[in-house]
Amino acid sequence: MFRMTVQDVFFIRGRGAVATGRVQYGELRVGDEVRINDGPGVRVDAIEAFRKKVDIATLGDNVGLLFKKLTTSDLAAGDVITSGGVFLA
């Protein structure tokens, strides 16, 4: 299971939308499917931490999640990204 609240969103031309934030629960790997605000699933295409590509994001990490198929209109600060289960507020 994984949970991260989006702190900021930006777009990298030729790559896609990036959601930044701190991992609040669990871990996430490149290629995993996540849901934004419990919406349809979307694949995580890359994870970066301090401008370096990483394969895994774990509890407490500050990361950027890259989504090739999304635009900045699909994400906003305050959105919740989850995977692998149901989270109650």
Side-chain angles (χ1 to χ4, degrees), residues 13-32:
R13 188 179 313 189
R15 294 199 61 207
V18 177
T20 63
R22 181 181 295 243
V23 178
Q24 297 165 306
Y25 187 87
E27 74 174 30
L28 186 71
R29 295 176 184 273
V30 173
D32 285 354

Side-chain angles (χ1 to χ4, degrees), residues 30-65:
V30 173
D32 285 354
E33 184 176 278
V34 296
R35 296 182 182 277
I36 301 163
N37 297 329
D38 206 27
V42 62
R43 181 180 187 268
V44 176
D45 295 302
I47 302 172
E48 293 192 9
F50 300 104
R51 299 186 189 269
K52 294 182 183 177
K53 288 186 179 185
V54 295
D55 295 325
I56 303 172
T58 60
L59 178 66
D61 289 350
N62 287 308
V63 296
L65 305 179

